[in-house]
Amino acid sequence: ASSVGWKAGKKIGSFHTGTVAVKSGRIETDAKGKVKAAQVSVDMTAISNEDLKEMPSMQTKLVGHLSSDDFFKVGQFPESTFTLTKVEPKAGSKDEFTATGDLTLIGKTVPVTFPAKISVSQGQVSVSATLTLERLKWGLQYGSGSIFKTLTADKIINDSFDLTLNLVAKK
């Protein structure tokens, strides 16, 4: 039931969307049902594209490019992980939190903080969140207008991309 979605695009023009398969994960709660630890691993070899389904050759080309050394170097780094280091409740809400943790992409670990909705009920923990990540922090420079100043606007890839998390852990 868990999923990780992604959305990325160019400075002008189209965006692409897809998913990365959740490989494994665990969430620990304390005696009161509050989340105290979590770790999620995703299988980067299972990165997929959703918006080019009507153009299979373009879809294959995009996934191949994302998997290549230009981006996620999947042959060398087939797995990415997130390890929760802190979770703080948002004042006045029972299911809104600020989550902080270490995200490892391409072998580099960077701390990230983001809002998350977390619910615990009947032996199940559900987490939903959207993160906007600055890809240059992980060394993802391909097509960056911040790095390659001579690129024309239609060739510049945004320096940020979004991840949408929908995680479910059962006892």
Side-chain angles (χ1 to χ4, degrees), residues 21-32:
V22 174
K23 183 177 181 178
S24 64
R26 66 172 176 72
I27 298 175
E28 295 178 28
T29 58
D30 63 17
K32 295 180 180 180

Side-chain angles (χ1 to χ4, degrees), residues 16 38 110 161:
H16 293 295
V110 175
F161 66 98

Side-chain angles (χ1 to χ4, degrees), residues 56-68:
S57 64
M58 293 297 292
Q59 188 179 46
T60 300
K61 183 178 176 181
L62 176 63
V63 169
H65 195 207
L66 292 173
S67 299
S68 78

